[in-house]
Amino acid sequence: MKDHIIDHIKSYKDLRNLLNSYKTIPGLKSNELTYYILFINQKYKLIDILESFGKRYYNGKLNFDIISEDSKNIINIKIPVRDPVREDVYFKCIFIQEKESPFLLLLTDFSKVKKLLDQFLDRLYPLIRSVSISSKQIITEIINNLIEEGYTITSSMVSEKKWWGEEEKMKASLDYPTGIPISEVIEYLNKKNAFINSLIINIYNQQQLRICKLFISRRGVIKYIDGSFDVFEKFILNKSLSLMEESYNILNNREQKNDKIKPIIVEFKIKNDPKTMINEFVNNLRQNK
């Protein structure tokens, strides 16, 4: 039976110690840490949301342990999974929240549970929802920051998409060979008028030793794959959280103005064909700046 880091977290000290050292532990070293950056409605307490959520969707079978220390809330969640054969199937994750922050992290090292986690988060919406890290922020604030610190970056996989271009559909998934310099990836995206949807990056120090490998996506999902957890935490995880907080503070402090509403009016040429009407509507939005 596979061992999980989540099973060994009983305190905030456990969390810190394990994240920094688990790659040296035989039963845990192959695990990847997946973080979801989330936004919480601060009118409600996290524990109250989870209690109500568990009663509504899991008949009270959503189990959680609360570990609150200093300025952090840490809640272990055990989520049951419907299985036609067994009743004891579940996966685990941990919520980590600075008590005064509107943002929190959901952490798991259970593999192949993306669909289950997405379903879990969809049900928590709108009280808790995923954030979005823009392609521009990934490039200018995260990647460029690493380069300025003297690190070299390559990419081994990029999922890129086009938006508001001539093509009707978003174009996804471009696989790069391992070791493509990040500058070439960015140049390609600029030429194609595309943006980063997700990518795996490798970080090298000045001696050209790979010191960290990770995954980051626009949907606020970040994975620590291997290497230095300190580098991952400082330059990727904490930086992403900082970007979200900066954006939130700008919007939260924005002056409210009573601007006149300017509606977009679409005159449909054909009114009994939904597909044609949708295409007309989309084209109208594309042309509107």
Side-chain angles (χ1 to χ4, degrees):
M1 187 175 184
K2 185 176 176 60
D3 198 6
H4 296 281
I5 297 168
I6 302 296
D7 292 326
H8 300 280
I9 305 298
K10 306 300 180 184
S11 68
Y12 182 62
K13 185 178 180 180
D14 289 341
L15 179 65
R16 293 305 313 157
N17 290 342
L18 269 173
L19 296 187
N20 281 301
S21 64
Y22 85 90
K23 286 295 181 181
T24 65
I25 303 172
L28 299 175
K29 65 181 181 180
S30 63
N31 294 19
E32 294 181 1
L33 298 175
T34 301
Y35 289 86
Y36 285 71
I37 302 178
L38 307 170
F39 180 84
I40 182 171
N41 186 327
Q42 289 186 291
K43 292 181 180 179
Y44 305 93
K45 293 182 178 179
L46 175 58
I47 188 65
D48 293 337
I49 294 174
L50 294 175
E51 286 179 347
S52 174
F53 173 78
K55 291 176 183 177
R56 181 174 182 181
Y57 292 104
Y58 293 97
N59 297 320
K61 295 181 180 180
L62 182 69
N63 298 319
F64 46 85
D65 296 319
I66 303 170
I67 307 170
S68 293
E69 297 184 14
D70 299 324
S71 62
K72 291 186 183 293
N73 281 328
I74 302 175
I75 301 179
N76 289 351
I77 306 287
K78 183 177 178 181
I79 304 171
V81 179
R82 290 183 180 178
D83 189 283
V85 180
R86 297 171 53 191
E87 294 184 357
D88 61 341
V89 181
Y90 58 86
F91 71 93
K92 292 182 180 180
C93 51
I94 292 180
F95 279 108
I96 306 168
Q97 179 189 29
E98 296 281 350
K99 290 184 178 178
E100 302 301 321
S101 175
F103 295 94
L104 61 151
L105 297 172
L106 180 65
L107 167 64
T108 187
D109 65 331
F110 275 63
S111 60
K112 299 179 181 179
V113 294
K114 183 181 183 302
K115 289 184 178 179
L116 296 173
L117 269 174
D118 287 345
Q119 182 185 58
F120 177 69
L121 293 174
D122 285 344
R123 288 173 170 175
L124 286 171
Y125 182 87
L127 299 181
I128 296 175
R129 61 183 185 271
S130 299
V131 305
S132 177
I133 306 173
S134 71
S135 177
K136 182 179 179 181
Q137 287 174 318
I138 292 174
I139 294 171
T140 62
E141 301 292 342
I142 295 177
I143 291 175
N144 286 353
N145 183 44
L146 281 163
I147 294 172
E148 289 172 1
E149 291 287 334
Y151 295 103
T152 300
I153 301 176
T154 66
S155 177
S156 53
M157 185 280 288
V158 173
S159 169
E160 55 92 6
K161 293 188 176 182
K162 298 185 72 173
W163 191 250
W164 301 134
E166 295 179 357
E167 298 180 21
E168 290 290 332
K169 296 181 180 180
M170 298 180 81
K171 185 179 178 182
S173 254
L174 181 65
D175 291 331
Y176 287 88
T178 301
I180 295 296
I182 197 66
S183 58
E184 293 185 18
V185 175
I186 295 173
E187 182 181 3
Y188 170 86
L189 295 174
N190 288 335
K191 285 182 179 179
K192 296 294 184 179
N193 192 27
F195 60 81
I196 293 172
N197 186 52
S198 63
L199 78 164
I200 292 175
I201 62 174
N202 310 285
I203 303 173
Y204 294 83
N205 64 12
Q206 293 181 347
Q207 288 72 43
Q208 293 305 301
L209 297 174
R210 194 184 78 177
I211 59 171
C212 191
K213 183 177 182 180
L214 61 103
F215 167 94
I216 185 169
S217 80
R218 292 189 311 112
R219 294 175 62 88
V221 179
I222 302 174
K223 293 182 182 180
Y224 166 67
I225 300 173
D226 63 33
S228 168
F229 183 80
D230 287 339
V231 168
F232 168 81
E233 184 177 48
K234 178 180 179 180
F235 292 102
I236 308 300
L237 186 61
N238 289 350
K239 182 65 175 179
S240 298
L241 272 170
S242 177
L243 289 172
M244 296 301 99
E245 289 172 354
E246 289 174 11
S247 299
Y248 172 78
N249 289 333
I250 290 172
L251 292 173
N252 200 37
N253 297 323
R254 184 177 55 185
E255 181 182 356
Q256 299 296 314
K257 296 182 179 180
N258 294 321
D259 292 337
K260 184 178 180 181
I261 296 175
K262 300 177 182 178
I264 295 175
I265 299 174
V266 181
E267 293 289 343
F268 294 108
K269 297 177 182 178
I270 300 175
K271 299 182 179 181
N272 58 356
D273 184 349
K275 184 175 180 180
T276 301
M277 292 172 69
I278 290 172
N279 288 336
E280 287 185 32
F281 179 72
V282 170
N283 288 333
N284 187 283
L285 290 180
R286 284 177 175 167
Q287 295 167 12
N288 193 299
K289 301 298 182 181

